[in-house]
């Protein structure tokens, strides 16, 4: 379980990025974090990843106050969380297989476990035939699938996706969402920050909407916004 209790983040003592955030995310939930640029989505993610600390309030992950985690233990804490970037951030000189295996090597997994797990996750994301390809030989959608595989290879409890469909066309975006939905179906909590109105409207999951750093809407299942779509 993830909980934000009266969390505020102020940058340089003047700019309030998020204010009085109270948010509870149960294990196994799928949640969309929506809002315009500057609404506070990225700050919320950085706080949860312990990249930054709150100016006020407490954030707990499975009842642990993450702000009390010592610096040398932050990497261990982050092993519970898989992160998916909008721009993929694959290692260009490594193959698809090597990019995914590298995530396991970083936590000192045994070679036999890597040889077993990487093909399984490649199959899950539909890239079994691309294992020996390099990132620049893949489409944007394929690169994002590799990024998802890398994020889930160590079986994290939570996956955070920051605009994972932002650089993709509609059909490819839906394919990526089907993979994330399957990850969630298997028990992983998925938190997705997005501007993608069509995706949010189509999948009808829990939606938390931010505006000027404040939660203005939190609904169990709904669309991107109650406001009319802008031209």
């Amino acid at each position: 379980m993830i909980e934000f209790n009266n969390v505020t983040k102020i940058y340089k003592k003047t700019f309030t990025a998020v204010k009085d955030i109270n948010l509870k995310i149960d294990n196994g939930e799928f949640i969309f974090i929506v809002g315009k640029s500057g609404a506070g989505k990225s700050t919320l993610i950085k706080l949860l990843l312990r990249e930054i600390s709150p100016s006020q309030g407490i954030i707990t992950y499975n009842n642990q106050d993450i702000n009390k985690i010592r610096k040398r233990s932050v990497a261990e804490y982050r092993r519970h969380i898989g992160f998916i970037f909008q721009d993929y951030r694959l290692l260009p000189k490594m193959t698809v297989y090597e990019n995914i295996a590298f995530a396991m090597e970083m936590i000192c997994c045994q070679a036999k476990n890597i040889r077993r797990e990487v093909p399984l996750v490649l199959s899950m994301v539909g890239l079994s035939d691309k294992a020996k390809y390099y990132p620049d030989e893949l489409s944007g959608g394929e690169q994002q699938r590799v990024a998802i595989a890398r994020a889930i290879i160590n079986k994290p409890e939570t996956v955070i996706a920051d605009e994972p469909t932002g650089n993709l066309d509609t059909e490819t975006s839906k394919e990526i969402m089907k993979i994330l939905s399957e990850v969630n179906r298997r028990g992983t909590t998925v938190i997705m920050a997005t501007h993608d109105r069509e995706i949010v409207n189509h999948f009808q999951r829990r939606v938390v909407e931010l505006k000027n750093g404040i939660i203005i809407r939190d609904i169990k299942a709904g669309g991107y916004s109650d406001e009319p779509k802008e031209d």
Side-chain angles (χ1 to χ4, degrees):
M1 181 187 295
I2 298 165
E3 263 191 283
F4 287 73
N5 292 295
N6 301 114
V7 172
T8 294
K9 177 60 182 178
I10 302 172
Y11 290 107
K12 298 181 179 180
K13 299 182 180 181
T14 57
F15 174 65
T16 303
V18 294
K19 182 179 181 181
D20 293 330
I21 296 294
N22 287 287
L23 179 64
K24 179 180 176 182
I25 302 171
D26 290 326
N27 294 336
E29 275 202 89
F30 192 121
I31 177 172
F32 289 116
I33 307 293
V34 306
K36 296 179 180 179
S37 295
K41 301 189 300 298
S42 294
T43 296
L44 213 62
I45 289 172
K46 289 178 180 179
L47 285 165
L48 184 53
L49 288 172
R50 187 47 209 284
E51 290 184 8
I52 57 176
S53 298
S55 304
Q56 299 171 18
I58 298 171
I59 303 168
T60 59
Y61 188 97
N62 291 337
N63 298 316
Q64 179 183 27
D65 183 345
I66 67 172
N67 202 44
K68 292 182 178 178
I69 299 173
R70 296 180 179 181
K71 287 186 178 180
R72 65 173 179 266
S73 299
V74 170
E76 182 178 348
Y77 160 69
R78 289 177 182 160
R79 290 179 185 176
H80 298 283
I81 301 172
F83 193 77
I84 303 167
F85 300 93
Q86 179 180 353
D87 55 357
Y88 325 131
R89 299 197 189 180
L90 304 179
L91 299 168
K93 295 182 180 181
M94 288 187 178
T95 64
V96 166
Y97 184 101
E98 291 166 342
N99 263 277
I100 299 168
F102 185 68
M104 298 186 75
E105 292 165 0
M106 290 295 290
I107 61 170
C108 302
C109 287
Q110 294 183 357
K112 65 179 182 179
N113 292 336
I114 294 173
R115 290 193 298 269
R116 182 184 67 243
E117 295 296 331
V118 174
L120 292 175
V121 78
L122 278 172
S123 177
M124 180 183 173
V125 300
L127 290 177
S128 294
D129 60 339
K130 303 287 186 179
K132 295 182 180 180
Y133 283 57
Y134 287 88
D136 63 1
E137 298 175 306
L138 305 176
S139 68
E142 289 170 335
Q143 290 186 62
Q144 191 61 289
R145 290 180 187 214
V146 178
I148 293 172
R150 181 183 58 190
I152 66 174
I153 190 65
N154 291 319
K155 298 179 173 61
E157 299 166 344
T158 302
V159 167
I160 299 174
D162 187 13
E163 301 284 355
T165 62
N167 294 329
L168 307 175
D169 60 59
T170 300
E171 288 306 311
T172 305
S173 295
K174 287 181 179 179
E175 291 173 4
I176 295 299
M177 287 303 304
K178 287 178 182 178
I179 295 171
L180 289 176
S181 294
E182 175 61 18
V183 170
N184 176 246
R185 189 190 68 78
R186 296 185 183 196
T188 302
T189 304
V190 177
I191 302 169
M192 177 173 163
T194 185
H195 285 101
D196 197 327
R197 182 184 299 270
E198 186 172 346
I199 286 294
V200 176
N201 290 343
H202 179 78
F203 282 89
Q204 293 288 304
R205 299 298 187 99
R206 181 182 175 190
V207 177
V208 172
E209 184 175 0
L210 291 170
K211 184 176 181 180
N212 298 326
I214 298 171
I215 293 177
I216 61 169
R217 189 169 62 113
D218 184 350
I219 57 174
K220 186 174 181 179
Y224 186 91
S225 176
D226 294 328
E227 299 175 359
K229 185 176 179 180
E230 297 178 357
D231 295 331

